Amino acid sequence: MKSVSKVDKPILWSSLIISAAFVVATLVTPSGVSKIFNTVFSFFTKNLGWVYMLTAAMFVVFCIGLAVSKYGNIKLSKDDEEPEYSRGSWFAMLFAAGMGVGLVFWGAAEPIMHFDTSPFADSKTPEAATIAMRTVLFHWGLHPWALYAVVALALAYFQFRKGLPGLISSTLYPLIGEKGIRGPIGKIIDAIAVIVTLFGVATSLGLGAQQLTTGMSFQFGIPNTTTVALVLIAIITGLFTISAVTGIDKGIKFLSNTNMVIAFLLMFFLLFIGPTRYILNVFTESIGSYLQNIVSLSFFVDTQGIVAKHTGYDWIGSWTVFYWAWWITWAPFVGSFIARISKGRTIREFMVGILIAPTLLSAMWFSIIGGSALYIELYGSGGIGAAVAKDVPSGIFVMFNHFPLGGLMAVLTMILLAIFFITSADSATFVIGMFTSGGELNPDNRLKIVWGVVEGALAAMLLIAGGLSAVQTVSFVFSFPFMVIMILMVVSLLKALGKSNHNQANYDLKASNEGKAANL
Protein backbone atom coordinates (compact mmCIF):
# COMPACT_ATOMS: atom_id res chain seq x y z
CA MET A 1 0.00 0.00 0.00
CA LYS A 2 1.24 3.48 -0.81
CA SER A 3 2.40 5.95 1.76
CA VAL A 4 -0.17 8.47 2.92
CA SER A 5 2.27 11.36 2.55
CA LYS A 6 0.04 13.35 0.20
CA VAL A 7 -2.76 14.24 2.55
CA ASP A 8 -4.14 17.77 2.76
CA LYS A 9 -4.73 17.83 6.50
CA PRO A 10 -6.72 21.12 6.73
CA ILE A 11 -9.24 19.86 4.18
CA LEU A 12 -9.29 16.35 5.60
CA TRP A 13 -9.89 17.35 9.21
CA SER A 14 -12.33 20.20 8.57
CA SER A 15 -14.47 17.88 6.43
CA LEU A 16 -14.34 15.10 8.99
CA ILE A 17 -15.26 17.44 11.86
CA ILE A 18 -18.30 18.87 10.03
CA SER A 19 -19.45 15.36 9.06
CA ALA A 20 -18.98 14.09 12.62
CA ALA A 21 -20.91 17.06 14.03
CA PHE A 22 -23.87 16.22 11.81
CA VAL A 23 -23.77 12.54 12.80
CA VAL A 24 -23.63 13.35 16.53
CA ALA A 25 -26.39 15.99 16.33
CA THR A 26 -28.69 13.57 14.49
CA LEU A 27 -28.08 10.80 17.00
CA VAL A 28 -28.64 13.10 20.00
CA THR A 29 -31.71 14.96 18.74
CA PRO A 30 -33.16 13.62 15.47
CA SER A 31 -36.42 15.57 15.94
CA GLY A 32 -34.50 18.81 16.47
CA VAL A 33 -32.47 18.26 13.32
CA SER A 34 -35.67 17.48 11.42
CA LYS A 35 -37.26 20.78 12.54
CA ILE A 36 -34.20 22.72 11.44
CA PHE A 37 -34.39 20.95 8.07
CA ASN A 38 -38.00 22.01 7.57
CA THR A 39 -37.21 25.65 8.35
CA VAL A 40 -34.21 25.77 6.04
CA PHE A 41 -36.09 24.04 3.23
CA SER A 42 -38.89 26.61 3.41
CA PHE A 43 -36.42 29.51 3.35
CA PHE A 44 -34.59 28.30 0.24
CA THR A 45 -37.66 27.41 -1.79
CA LYS A 46 -39.47 30.67 -1.01
CA ASN A 47 -36.58 33.09 -1.42
CA LEU A 48 -33.88 31.61 -3.64
CA GLY A 49 -35.67 29.42 -6.17
CA TRP A 50 -35.20 32.01 -8.92
CA VAL A 51 -31.41 31.90 -8.43
CA TYR A 52 -31.31 28.15 -9.05
CA MET A 53 -33.54 28.44 -12.12
CA LEU A 54 -31.52 31.24 -13.75
CA THR A 55 -28.19 29.60 -12.98
CA ALA A 56 -29.16 26.18 -14.35
CA ALA A 57 -30.51 27.76 -17.55
CA MET A 58 -27.30 29.77 -17.95
CA PHE A 59 -25.20 26.62 -17.66
CA VAL A 60 -27.19 24.87 -20.41
CA VAL A 61 -26.66 27.83 -22.75
CA PHE A 62 -22.95 27.95 -21.84
CA CYS A 63 -22.39 24.24 -22.56
CA ILE A 64 -24.21 24.24 -25.89
CA GLY A 65 -22.55 27.48 -26.94
CA LEU A 66 -19.09 26.16 -26.11
CA ALA A 67 -19.69 22.91 -28.01
CA VAL A 68 -20.51 24.72 -31.25
CA SER A 69 -17.89 27.44 -30.81
CA LYS A 70 -14.36 27.62 -32.19
CA TYR A 71 -13.14 26.15 -28.91
CA GLY A 72 -14.89 22.84 -29.56
CA ASN A 73 -11.78 21.29 -31.13
CA ILE A 74 -9.57 21.93 -28.09
CA LYS A 75 -8.47 18.70 -26.42
CA LEU A 76 -8.87 18.13 -22.71
CA SER A 77 -5.24 17.02 -22.63
CA LYS A 78 -2.07 17.76 -24.52
CA ASP A 79 -2.62 17.72 -28.27
CA ASP A 80 -0.88 14.37 -28.81
CA GLU A 81 -2.69 12.45 -26.04
CA GLU A 82 -5.51 10.01 -26.79
CA PRO A 83 -8.52 9.01 -24.60
CA GLU A 84 -7.83 6.38 -21.93
CA TYR A 85 -11.20 4.61 -22.31
CA SER A 86 -13.36 3.52 -25.21
CA ARG A 87 -16.51 5.54 -25.87
CA GLY A 88 -18.66 2.69 -24.58
CA SER A 89 -16.85 2.35 -21.25
CA TRP A 90 -16.55 6.13 -20.92
CA PHE A 91 -20.27 6.63 -21.38
CA ALA A 92 -21.19 3.72 -19.09
CA MET A 93 -19.04 5.11 -16.27
CA LEU A 94 -20.21 8.71 -16.56
CA PHE A 95 -23.86 7.67 -16.76
CA ALA A 96 -23.64 5.24 -13.84
CA ALA A 97 -21.91 7.84 -11.68
CA GLY A 98 -24.23 10.67 -12.73
CA MET A 99 -27.74 9.23 -12.47
CA GLY A 100 -27.88 5.66 -11.26
CA VAL A 101 -29.89 5.37 -8.07
CA GLY A 102 -32.16 8.30 -8.88
CA LEU A 103 -33.37 6.79 -12.16
CA VAL A 104 -34.49 3.61 -10.42
CA PHE A 105 -36.00 5.41 -7.44
CA TRP A 106 -38.04 7.86 -9.55
CA GLY A 107 -38.51 5.75 -12.72
CA ALA A 108 -42.19 4.95 -12.09
CA ALA A 109 -42.83 7.19 -9.08
CA GLU A 110 -42.22 10.64 -10.54
CA PRO A 111 -44.42 10.29 -13.67
CA ILE A 112 -47.19 8.87 -11.48
CA MET A 113 -46.87 11.66 -8.91
CA HIS A 114 -47.12 14.33 -11.63
CA PHE A 115 -50.07 12.43 -13.10
CA ASP A 116 -51.91 12.17 -9.77
CA THR A 117 -51.21 15.80 -8.85
CA SER A 118 -50.63 17.55 -12.14
CA PRO A 119 -49.02 21.01 -12.05
CA PHE A 120 -50.47 22.23 -15.35
CA ALA A 121 -53.62 20.17 -16.03
CA ASP A 122 -56.51 18.37 -14.39
CA SER A 123 -55.02 15.45 -12.47
CA LYS A 124 -55.42 11.81 -13.56
CA THR A 125 -56.33 12.70 -17.15
CA PRO A 126 -54.62 11.89 -20.47
CA GLU A 127 -53.44 15.49 -20.61
CA ALA A 128 -51.90 15.11 -17.15
CA ALA A 129 -50.04 12.00 -18.38
CA THR A 130 -48.57 13.95 -21.31
CA ILE A 131 -47.47 16.80 -19.06
CA ALA A 132 -46.06 14.34 -16.52
CA MET A 133 -43.70 12.83 -19.09
CA ARG A 134 -42.64 16.24 -20.38
CA THR A 135 -41.88 17.34 -16.83
CA VAL A 136 -39.85 14.22 -16.08
CA LEU A 137 -37.71 14.69 -19.18
CA PHE A 138 -37.14 18.31 -18.17
CA HIS A 139 -35.96 17.27 -14.71
CA TRP A 140 -33.66 14.52 -16.02
CA GLY A 141 -32.53 15.99 -19.34
CA LEU A 142 -30.09 18.69 -20.41
CA HIS A 143 -30.11 20.73 -17.20
CA PRO A 144 -28.61 18.20 -14.76
CA TRP A 145 -25.99 17.11 -17.26
CA ALA A 146 -25.06 20.72 -17.97
CA LEU A 147 -24.48 21.19 -14.24
CA TYR A 148 -22.15 18.20 -14.26
CA ALA A 149 -20.49 19.34 -17.48
CA VAL A 150 -19.49 22.74 -16.09
CA VAL A 151 -17.50 21.18 -13.26
CA ALA A 152 -16.14 18.29 -15.34
CA LEU A 153 -15.01 20.50 -18.22
CA ALA A 154 -13.28 23.04 -15.99
CA LEU A 155 -11.46 20.33 -14.04
CA ALA A 156 -10.40 18.37 -17.12
CA TYR A 157 -9.18 21.51 -18.90
CA PHE A 158 -7.09 22.88 -16.06
CA GLN A 159 -5.89 19.47 -14.89
CA PHE A 160 -4.99 17.74 -18.14
CA ARG A 161 -4.32 20.64 -20.51
CA LYS A 162 -2.81 23.10 -18.05
CA GLY A 163 -1.15 20.72 -15.62
CA LEU A 164 -2.80 21.92 -12.41
CA PRO A 165 -3.79 19.55 -9.58
CA GLY A 166 -7.18 17.84 -9.86
CA LEU A 167 -8.83 20.14 -7.32
CA ILE A 168 -11.87 22.42 -7.54
CA SER A 169 -9.68 25.36 -6.52
CA SER A 170 -7.50 24.79 -9.61
CA THR A 171 -10.40 25.70 -11.88
CA LEU A 172 -10.27 29.27 -10.53
CA TYR A 173 -6.59 29.77 -11.35
CA PRO A 174 -7.19 32.61 -13.85
CA LEU A 175 -9.20 34.48 -11.18
CA ILE A 176 -7.26 33.88 -7.95
CA GLY A 177 -3.80 32.86 -9.18
CA GLU A 178 -1.17 30.70 -7.51
CA LYS A 179 -1.47 32.32 -4.08
CA GLY A 180 -5.22 31.90 -4.10
CA ILE A 181 -5.03 28.21 -4.99
CA ARG A 182 -2.41 27.38 -2.40
CA GLY A 183 -3.70 29.74 0.30
CA PRO A 184 -6.79 29.90 2.56
CA ILE A 185 -9.18 30.70 -0.32
CA GLY A 186 -8.20 27.54 -2.16
CA LYS A 187 -8.47 25.43 1.00
CA ILE A 188 -11.96 26.77 1.74
CA ILE A 189 -13.10 26.05 -1.82
CA ASP A 190 -11.78 22.49 -1.73
CA ALA A 191 -13.23 21.85 1.73
CA ILE A 192 -16.66 23.02 0.48
CA ALA A 193 -16.31 20.61 -2.46
CA VAL A 194 -15.59 17.70 -0.11
CA ILE A 195 -18.56 18.50 2.17
CA VAL A 196 -20.93 18.98 -0.79
CA THR A 197 -19.76 15.67 -2.26
CA LEU A 198 -20.18 13.78 1.01
CA PHE A 199 -23.72 14.97 1.59
CA GLY A 200 -24.70 14.79 -2.07
CA VAL A 201 -23.78 11.11 -2.22
CA ALA A 202 -25.29 10.42 1.18
CA THR A 203 -28.67 11.66 -0.07
CA SER A 204 -28.70 9.11 -2.88
CA LEU A 205 -27.43 6.32 -0.67
CA GLY A 206 -30.37 7.01 1.63
CA LEU A 207 -32.84 6.90 -1.27
CA GLY A 208 -31.28 3.71 -2.62
CA ALA A 209 -31.47 1.99 0.76
CA GLN A 210 -35.15 2.93 1.07
CA GLN A 211 -35.96 1.42 -2.31
CA LEU A 212 -33.93 -1.73 -1.79
CA THR A 213 -35.76 -2.27 1.50
CA THR A 214 -39.09 -1.75 -0.26
CA GLY A 215 -38.15 -4.20 -3.01
CA MET A 216 -37.10 -6.89 -0.57
CA SER A 217 -40.32 -6.39 1.34
CA PHE A 218 -42.35 -6.88 -1.86
CA GLN A 219 -40.45 -9.88 -3.09
CA PHE A 220 -39.26 -11.68 0.02
CA GLY A 221 -41.42 -10.39 2.87
CA ILE A 222 -38.51 -8.73 4.70
CA PRO A 223 -39.83 -5.96 6.99
CA ASN A 224 -39.72 -2.51 5.38
CA THR A 225 -38.19 -0.68 8.33
CA THR A 226 -35.50 1.91 8.95
CA THR A 227 -33.46 -0.72 10.77
CA VAL A 228 -33.34 -2.92 7.68
CA ALA A 229 -32.39 0.10 5.57
CA LEU A 230 -29.55 0.91 7.97
CA VAL A 231 -28.26 -2.67 7.76
CA LEU A 232 -28.35 -2.42 3.95
CA ILE A 233 -26.39 0.83 4.07
CA ALA A 234 -23.74 -0.86 6.21
CA ILE A 235 -23.44 -3.82 3.82
CA ILE A 236 -23.30 -1.71 0.66
CA THR A 237 -20.87 0.72 2.28
CA GLY A 238 -18.49 -2.19 2.67
CA LEU A 239 -19.04 -3.26 -0.94
CA PHE A 240 -18.51 0.15 -2.53
CA THR A 241 -15.44 0.78 -0.36
CA ILE A 242 -13.93 -2.48 -1.63
CA SER A 243 -14.79 -1.45 -5.18
CA ALA A 244 -13.17 1.97 -4.71
CA VAL A 245 -10.00 0.37 -3.31
CA THR A 246 -9.67 -1.85 -6.40
CA GLY A 247 -9.49 1.27 -8.60
CA ILE A 248 -11.25 2.55 -11.70
CA ASP A 249 -10.18 -0.12 -14.19
CA LYS A 250 -10.98 -3.14 -12.02
CA GLY A 251 -13.89 -1.95 -9.90
CA ILE A 252 -15.79 1.04 -11.25
CA LYS A 253 -15.35 0.26 -14.96
CA PHE A 254 -16.44 -3.38 -14.59
CA LEU A 255 -19.50 -2.55 -12.46
CA SER A 256 -20.55 0.34 -14.73
CA ASN A 257 -20.40 -1.82 -17.85
CA THR A 258 -22.31 -4.60 -16.06
CA ASN A 259 -25.00 -2.20 -14.95
CA MET A 260 -25.54 -0.79 -18.41
CA VAL A 261 -26.11 -4.34 -19.70
CA ILE A 262 -28.66 -5.02 -16.93
CA ALA A 263 -30.40 -1.68 -17.51
CA PHE A 264 -30.77 -2.31 -21.25
CA LEU A 265 -31.99 -5.87 -20.68
CA LEU A 266 -34.62 -4.61 -18.26
CA MET A 267 -35.74 -1.81 -20.57
CA PHE A 268 -36.01 -3.95 -23.69
CA PHE A 269 -37.72 -6.78 -21.84
CA LEU A 270 -40.41 -4.42 -20.51
CA LEU A 271 -40.65 -2.69 -23.88
CA PHE A 272 -41.64 -5.92 -25.61
CA ILE A 273 -43.86 -7.48 -22.95
CA GLY A 274 -45.43 -4.16 -21.98
CA PRO A 275 -47.56 -1.71 -24.00
CA THR A 276 -44.98 -1.43 -26.80
CA ARG A 277 -46.82 0.92 -29.14
CA TYR A 278 -47.85 3.18 -26.26
CA ILE A 279 -44.26 3.34 -24.96
CA LEU A 280 -42.83 4.22 -28.38
CA ASN A 281 -45.47 6.91 -28.83
CA VAL A 282 -44.75 8.30 -25.37
CA PHE A 283 -41.02 8.43 -26.14
CA THR A 284 -41.54 10.28 -29.42
CA GLU A 285 -44.17 12.67 -28.11
CA SER A 286 -42.37 13.45 -24.85
CA ILE A 287 -39.13 14.44 -26.57
CA GLY A 288 -41.04 16.80 -28.87
CA SER A 289 -43.00 18.33 -26.00
CA TYR A 290 -39.82 18.70 -23.94
CA LEU A 291 -37.92 20.47 -26.72
CA GLN A 292 -40.92 22.68 -27.51
CA ASN A 293 -41.32 23.84 -23.91
CA ILE A 294 -37.75 23.79 -22.58
CA VAL A 295 -37.30 27.58 -22.63
CA SER A 296 -40.50 28.41 -20.76
CA LEU A 297 -39.95 25.57 -18.27
CA SER A 298 -36.37 26.73 -17.64
CA PHE A 299 -37.54 30.10 -16.36
CA PHE A 300 -40.90 29.23 -14.79
CA VAL A 301 -40.94 30.05 -11.05
CA ASP A 302 -44.72 30.23 -10.49
CA THR A 303 -44.65 33.95 -9.68
CA GLN A 304 -48.43 34.19 -9.37
CA GLY A 305 -48.73 31.01 -7.32
CA ILE A 306 -51.00 29.37 -9.89
CA VAL A 307 -49.33 25.95 -9.77
CA ALA A 308 -49.03 26.07 -5.97
CA LYS A 309 -52.75 26.76 -5.69
CA HIS A 310 -53.58 24.04 -8.21
CA THR A 311 -51.46 21.35 -6.52
CA GLY A 312 -51.90 22.52 -2.93
CA TYR A 313 -48.20 22.93 -2.17
CA ASP A 314 -45.03 24.66 -3.42
CA TRP A 315 -44.64 22.43 -6.45
CA ILE A 316 -41.80 24.36 -8.10
CA GLY A 317 -39.74 24.43 -4.91
CA SER A 318 -40.37 20.80 -4.05
CA TRP A 319 -39.63 19.50 -7.54
CA THR A 320 -37.70 21.62 -10.07
CA VAL A 321 -35.74 23.81 -7.67
CA PHE A 322 -35.01 20.81 -5.45
CA TYR A 323 -33.74 18.86 -8.45
CA TRP A 324 -31.39 21.64 -9.52
CA ALA A 325 -30.06 21.84 -5.95
CA TRP A 326 -29.69 18.06 -5.81
CA TRP A 327 -27.77 17.94 -9.07
CA ILE A 328 -25.46 20.69 -7.81
CA THR A 329 -24.61 18.65 -4.70
CA TRP A 330 -23.65 15.82 -7.06
CA ALA A 331 -21.67 18.10 -9.40
CA PRO A 332 -18.34 18.12 -7.49
CA PHE A 333 -17.90 14.36 -7.43
CA VAL A 334 -19.64 13.50 -10.71
CA GLY A 335 -17.80 16.35 -12.44
CA SER A 336 -14.47 15.31 -10.94
CA PHE A 337 -15.00 11.67 -11.85
CA ILE A 338 -16.08 12.50 -15.40
CA ALA A 339 -13.06 14.77 -15.75
CA ARG A 340 -10.84 11.94 -14.52
CA ILE A 341 -12.10 9.56 -17.24
CA SER A 342 -12.35 12.16 -20.06
CA LYS A 343 -8.70 12.92 -20.65
CA GLY A 344 -7.92 13.14 -24.37
CA ARG A 345 -11.38 14.04 -25.64
CA THR A 346 -12.19 17.32 -27.37
CA ILE A 347 -14.53 19.85 -25.81
CA ARG A 348 -17.10 19.19 -28.55
CA GLU A 349 -16.95 15.41 -28.15
CA PHE A 350 -17.10 15.84 -24.39
CA MET A 351 -20.23 18.03 -24.56
CA VAL A 352 -22.07 15.74 -26.98
CA GLY A 353 -21.22 12.74 -24.82
CA ILE A 354 -22.27 14.34 -21.57
CA LEU A 355 -25.36 16.25 -22.75
CA ILE A 356 -27.08 14.50 -25.65
CA ALA A 357 -26.44 10.79 -25.05
CA PRO A 358 -27.48 10.69 -21.34
CA THR A 359 -30.54 12.84 -22.05
CA LEU A 360 -31.72 10.39 -24.71
CA LEU A 361 -31.03 7.39 -22.48
CA SER A 362 -32.95 9.00 -19.60
CA ALA A 363 -35.83 9.65 -22.01
CA MET A 364 -35.80 5.97 -23.00
CA TRP A 365 -35.79 4.83 -19.37
CA PHE A 366 -38.67 7.03 -18.27
CA SER A 367 -40.70 6.34 -21.41
CA ILE A 368 -40.47 2.59 -20.78
CA ILE A 369 -40.73 2.50 -16.97
CA GLY A 370 -42.87 5.59 -16.42
CA GLY A 371 -44.85 5.11 -19.62
CA SER A 372 -45.81 1.57 -18.58
CA ALA A 373 -46.94 2.85 -15.18
CA LEU A 374 -49.06 5.59 -16.75
CA TYR A 375 -50.61 3.09 -19.16
CA ILE A 376 -51.70 0.91 -16.25
CA GLU A 377 -53.23 3.92 -14.49
CA LEU A 378 -55.06 5.16 -17.59
CA TYR A 379 -56.08 1.93 -19.31
CA GLY A 380 -55.38 -0.89 -16.85
CA SER A 381 -56.39 -1.81 -13.33
CA GLY A 382 -54.41 1.02 -11.72
CA GLY A 383 -53.19 0.95 -8.14
CA ILE A 384 -49.71 2.39 -8.72
CA GLY A 385 -50.70 5.91 -7.70
CA ALA A 386 -52.14 4.71 -4.39
CA ALA A 387 -48.97 2.69 -3.70
CA VAL A 388 -46.69 5.65 -4.47
CA ALA A 389 -48.76 7.95 -2.26
CA LYS A 390 -48.16 5.53 0.61
CA ASP A 391 -44.52 4.64 -0.14
CA VAL A 392 -42.69 6.43 -2.99
CA PRO A 393 -40.09 3.70 -3.74
CA SER A 394 -42.80 1.06 -4.16
CA GLY A 395 -44.06 2.39 -7.51
CA ILE A 396 -41.74 0.42 -9.78
CA PHE A 397 -42.34 -2.87 -7.93
CA VAL A 398 -46.13 -2.48 -7.96
CA MET A 399 -45.93 -1.72 -11.68
CA PHE A 400 -43.96 -4.93 -12.39
CA ASN A 401 -46.74 -6.98 -10.75
CA HIS A 402 -48.99 -6.09 -13.69
CA PHE A 403 -46.74 -7.87 -16.22
CA PRO A 404 -45.54 -11.44 -16.84
CA LEU A 405 -42.32 -12.32 -15.02
CA GLY A 406 -42.80 -9.30 -12.76
CA GLY A 407 -40.87 -11.03 -9.99
CA LEU A 408 -37.84 -11.50 -12.25
CA MET A 409 -37.91 -7.84 -13.30
CA ALA A 410 -38.16 -6.79 -9.66
CA VAL A 411 -35.09 -8.85 -8.77
CA LEU A 412 -33.19 -7.42 -11.76
CA THR A 413 -34.18 -3.94 -10.61
CA MET A 414 -32.83 -4.57 -7.12
CA ILE A 415 -29.55 -5.82 -8.59
CA LEU A 416 -29.46 -2.76 -10.86
CA LEU A 417 -30.16 -0.50 -7.90
CA ALA A 418 -27.48 -2.12 -5.76
CA ILE A 419 -24.82 -1.79 -8.47
CA PHE A 420 -25.82 1.83 -9.23
CA PHE A 421 -25.61 2.36 -5.48
CA ILE A 422 -22.08 0.97 -5.45
CA THR A 423 -20.82 2.71 -8.61
CA SER A 424 -22.04 6.15 -7.53
CA ALA A 425 -20.62 5.78 -4.04
CA ASP A 426 -17.27 4.33 -5.03
CA SER A 427 -16.86 7.06 -7.66
CA ALA A 428 -17.48 9.63 -4.92
CA THR A 429 -15.09 7.87 -2.53
CA PHE A 430 -12.41 7.94 -5.22
CA VAL A 431 -12.99 11.65 -5.90
CA ILE A 432 -13.00 12.67 -2.23
CA GLY A 433 -9.72 10.81 -1.89
CA MET A 434 -8.38 13.00 -4.71
CA PHE A 435 -9.68 16.18 -3.09
CA THR A 436 -8.02 15.39 0.24
CA SER A 437 -4.68 14.34 -1.24
CA GLY A 438 -3.77 17.43 -3.22
CA GLY A 439 -5.40 16.19 -6.43
CA GLU A 440 -3.61 12.83 -6.50
CA LEU A 441 -5.03 10.87 -9.47
CA ASN A 442 -4.73 7.57 -7.59
CA PRO A 443 -5.36 8.41 -3.92
CA ASP A 444 -4.25 6.18 -1.09
CA ASN A 445 -6.55 3.25 -0.29
CA ARG A 446 -6.70 4.20 3.38
CA LEU A 447 -8.21 7.56 2.45
CA LYS A 448 -10.84 5.80 0.35
CA ILE A 449 -11.73 3.53 3.25
CA VAL A 450 -12.10 6.48 5.64
CA TRP A 451 -14.37 8.37 3.27
CA GLY A 452 -16.38 5.25 2.44
CA VAL A 453 -17.23 4.81 6.12
CA VAL A 454 -18.10 8.52 6.46
CA GLU A 455 -20.44 8.38 3.45
CA GLY A 456 -22.27 5.38 4.88
CA ALA A 457 -22.63 7.07 8.28
CA LEU A 458 -24.05 10.25 6.73
CA ALA A 459 -26.56 8.26 4.65
CA ALA A 460 -27.72 6.46 7.80
CA MET A 461 -28.15 9.75 9.66
CA LEU A 462 -30.22 11.24 6.82
CA LEU A 463 -32.63 8.31 7.06
CA ILE A 464 -32.90 8.79 10.82
CA ALA A 465 -33.36 12.56 10.44
CA GLY A 466 -36.32 12.39 8.09
CA GLY A 467 -35.79 10.46 4.89
CA LEU A 468 -36.74 12.28 1.69
CA SER A 469 -37.41 15.64 3.39
CA ALA A 470 -33.93 15.52 4.93
CA VAL A 471 -32.47 14.77 1.50
CA GLN A 472 -34.20 17.81 0.02
CA THR A 473 -33.03 20.16 2.74
CA VAL A 474 -29.42 18.98 2.74
CA SER A 475 -29.37 19.51 -1.02
CA PHE A 476 -30.31 23.16 -0.58
CA VAL A 477 -27.96 23.87 2.33
CA PHE A 478 -24.85 22.55 0.63
CA SER A 479 -25.65 23.37 -2.99
CA PHE A 480 -25.90 27.14 -2.69
CA PRO A 481 -22.24 27.93 -1.87
CA PHE A 482 -21.06 25.48 -4.51
CA MET A 483 -23.38 27.05 -7.08
CA VAL A 484 -21.52 30.33 -6.56
CA ILE A 485 -18.22 28.49 -7.12
CA MET A 486 -19.63 26.99 -10.34
CA ILE A 487 -20.52 30.44 -11.67
CA LEU A 488 -16.93 31.52 -11.00
CA MET A 489 -15.75 28.37 -12.83
CA VAL A 490 -17.57 29.49 -15.97
CA VAL A 491 -15.99 32.94 -15.78
CA SER A 492 -12.56 31.43 -15.15
CA LEU A 493 -12.83 28.93 -18.00
CA LEU A 494 -13.96 31.60 -20.46
CA LYS A 495 -11.04 33.77 -19.41
CA ALA A 496 -8.60 30.88 -19.88
CA LEU A 497 -10.05 29.91 -23.27
CA GLY A 498 -9.90 33.53 -24.41
CA LYS A 499 -6.17 33.48 -23.78
CA SER A 500 -5.62 29.94 -25.02
CA ASN A 501 -3.68 31.10 -28.08
CA HIS A 502 -1.46 33.47 -26.14
CA ASN A 503 1.62 32.43 -24.17
CA GLN A 504 0.42 28.81 -24.09
CA ALA A 505 3.81 27.32 -23.29
CA ASN A 506 4.55 29.72 -20.42
CA TYR A 507 1.14 29.13 -18.86
CA ASP A 508 1.56 25.36 -19.06
CA LEU A 509 5.01 25.47 -17.49
CA LYS A 510 3.86 27.68 -14.64
CA ALA A 511 0.78 25.56 -14.01
CA SER A 512 2.86 22.39 -14.02
CA ASN A 513 5.27 23.80 -11.47
CA GLU A 514 2.38 24.91 -9.28
CA GLY A 515 0.84 21.46 -9.55
CA LYS A 516 4.05 19.90 -8.27
CA ALA A 517 4.30 22.44 -5.47
CA ALA A 518 0.70 21.88 -4.40
CA ASN A 519 1.38 18.20 -3.86
CA LEU A 520 4.46 18.66 -1.67
Side-chain angles (χ1 to χ4, degrees), residues 148-176:
Y148 296 158
V150 166
V151 178
L153 179 65
L155 277 167
Y157 181 82
F158 286 106
Q159 182 178 5
F160 298 126
R161 191 161 183 86
K162 298 300 185 182
L164 287 166
L167 300 170
I168 297 296
S169 58
S170 297
T171 65
L172 304 185
Y173 174 86
L175 301 181
I176 63 178

Side-chain angles (χ1 to χ4, degrees), residues 351-419:
M351 286 301 181
V352 171
I354 201 173
L355 290 181
I356 307 303
T359 296
L360 288 174
L361 185 53
S362 295
M364 288 171 57
W365 174 267
F366 279 106
S367 295
I368 294 171
I369 304 297
S372 297
L374 289 171
Y375 182 86
I376 291 168
E377 291 293 284
L378 282 169
Y379 309 110
S381 56
I384 301 174
V388 169
K390 184 178 180 181
D391 183 22
V392 174
S394 68
I396 194 167
F397 300 109
V398 174
M399 185 264 291
F400 286 146
N401 286 339
H402 291 265
F403 297 105
L405 300 177
L408 174 61
M409 288 191 288
V411 171
L412 280 176
T413 299
M414 285 187 280
I415 295 172
L416 183 71
L417 185 65
I419 301 179

